[in-house]
Amino acid sequence: MPEYRRKKMMALTTNLIRDDSDKVLALGQPGEEVSLELILRVVADVGLVGLPNAGKSTLLAAITLAKPDIADYPFTTLMPNLGRLDGDPSLGAGKYSSEATLADLPGLIEGAHLGKGLGRNFLRHLRRTRLLVHVVDAAAENPVNDYRSVREELRMYNPEYLERPYIVVLNKIDLPGVSDRLQGLTEEILKIGNDNFPADLKKNPDDSVELLSPEDGNSNISADKVRKERELEDYPHPLAVVGVSVLRGMRINEMLTHIRAALRKCRDFNEEFEPNLSQ
């Protein structure tokens, strides 16, 4: 800035900034500094959930071109892995409409909703998924209890997760003795749920339930509180339960059929409850 303009500027205001050589002056304002932590949530059509070592990463690698780390120890997956499921070729030209993005999410343990294990780092990524696939180790000591544990963690973190359409995949049926109890496991899992849940939800579109209290009279209870008071049996049944061996490639096509059918069914559900999914 020329010297004569500099003197004129300094006479008008003291709010000036000089460079090291004192050659340039610029008008400035006192500013603010802000530190931000930005959290990216995965956006996927299908979220694979389950305990560590249930076979989620192996399943993703088997049906997509994704190459997640796979090992025989817990928490191999530390960050979500994404894979793209090809469209159903039987649909002809419309097969591309049946394509889907799958997210293999880190395994959770009991207490994950409180931050144990990978905790909330895992659970937050389910907000934008439309369909959940519970991967259960059918060779475990108590697969049904493992399944309930995962559902309970989802309920404690965000009860809305249990309102999403979902299927259950019983993995590792090729191991000795598993195929013999597959039918029993399927029946036990199908008992956990309520066929009338969608109808109950539609009765309260304003997200409130009106209850009568002997002390307070008529009072409104928020939907969030009602959700948390529900038990696992009060939420929907799985759309399907299918036994597979991802490692051996057994019944993979049957599983894909169920996943694609579930995606078609959950389209209407997600359109109706889109505000919840976009939060």
Side-chain angles (χ1 to χ4, degrees):
M1 182 178 293
E3 186 175 353
Y4 74 93
R5 290 186 60 189
R6 185 188 313 174
K7 290 180 179 179
K8 183 178 179 181
M9 188 71 70
M10 293 191 67
L12 293 175
T13 178
T14 59
N15 190 21
L16 301 171
I17 298 176
R18 303 185 183 199
D19 68 357
D20 294 336
S21 63
D22 199 26
K23 290 183 179 179
V24 177
L25 298 177
L27 292 173
Q29 296 287 338
E32 296 181 357
E33 290 187 4
V34 179
S35 296
L36 301 177
E37 181 181 359
L38 304 180
I39 299 175
L40 174 66
R41 293 195 185 104
V42 168
V43 180
D45 301 297
V46 181
L48 305 179
V49 299
L51 297 180
N53 285 119
K56 302 182 296 298
S57 298
T58 308
L59 189 153
L60 184 73
I63 63 177
T64 72
L65 297 178
K67 299 187 181 300
D69 292 333
I70 299 174
D72 58 353
Y73 54 84
F75 298 112
T76 309
T77 302
L78 299 178
M79 294 293 291
N81 295 304
L82 296 179
R84 189 70 177 168
L85 179 65
D86 291 336
D88 184 358
S90 65
L91 297 178
K95 70 177 182 178
Y96 299 106
S97 64
S98 64
E99 290 182 345
T101 300
L102 279 70
D104 163 31
L105 302 171
L108 59 87
I109 60 176
E110 188 174 351
H113 70 281
L114 299 175
K116 293 184 179 179
L118 296 178
R120 294 174 178 272
N121 290 335
F122 152 75
L123 292 166
R124 69 167 182 246
H125 289 293
L126 291 178
R127 281 191 177 272
R128 303 296 294 275
T129 56
R130 298 183 177 274
L131 173 71
L132 300 182
V133 174
H134 285 267
V135 183
V136 181
D137 183 355
E141 183 177 350
N142 193 336
V144 176
N145 186 61
D146 292 346
Y147 164 73
R148 292 185 68 98
S149 296
V150 173
R151 295 286 289 172
E152 182 65 19
E153 290 303 319
L154 298 182
R155 185 183 74 85
M156 294 298 292
Y157 179 76
N158 186 345
E160 289 182 9
Y161 288 172
L162 270 65
E163 299 171 7
R164 309 268 177 90
Y166 69 102
I167 71 170
V168 179
V169 173
L170 296 172
N171 192 23
K172 306 181 184 180
I173 63 172
D174 59 305
L175 296 180
V178 177
S179 58
D180 296 335
R181 61 173 182 163
L182 183 61
Q183 183 63 31
L185 292 175
T186 301
E187 292 175 356
E188 287 187 59
I189 289 175
L190 287 173
K191 290 178 182 177
I192 305 172
N194 178 11
D195 287 331
N196 296 323
F197 176 80
D200 293 341
L201 194 64
K202 291 175 183 177
K203 289 179 183 178
N204 300 288
D206 59 345
D207 277 345
S208 65
V209 179
E210 206 171 75
L211 297 179
L212 249 158
S213 169
E215 300 175 355
D216 304 329
N218 203 7
S219 61
N220 288 331
I221 297 180
S222 67
D224 288 339
K225 184 175 180 181
V226 172
R227 285 185 175 106
K228 289 181 179 179
E229 290 178 350
R230 288 193 179 111
E231 300 296 332
L232 296 183
E233 285 75 10
D234 297 326
Y235 286 91
H237 287 292
L239 296 178
V241 179
V242 56
V244 304
S245 172
V246 177
L247 196 60
R248 302 289 182 183
M250 298 170 57
R251 302 178 67 177
I252 295 296
N253 289 334
E254 181 181 348
M255 178 190 67
L256 291 177
T257 299
H258 285 297
I259 289 176
R260 289 179 172 125
L263 282 169
R264 288 194 295 270
K265 287 183 179 180
C266 77
R267 237 174 239 161
D268 295 337
F269 177 94
N270 288 317
E271 289 175 359
E272 184 173 356
F273 297 101
E274 189 66 32
N276 292 334
L277 293 175
S278 61
Q279 291 176 356

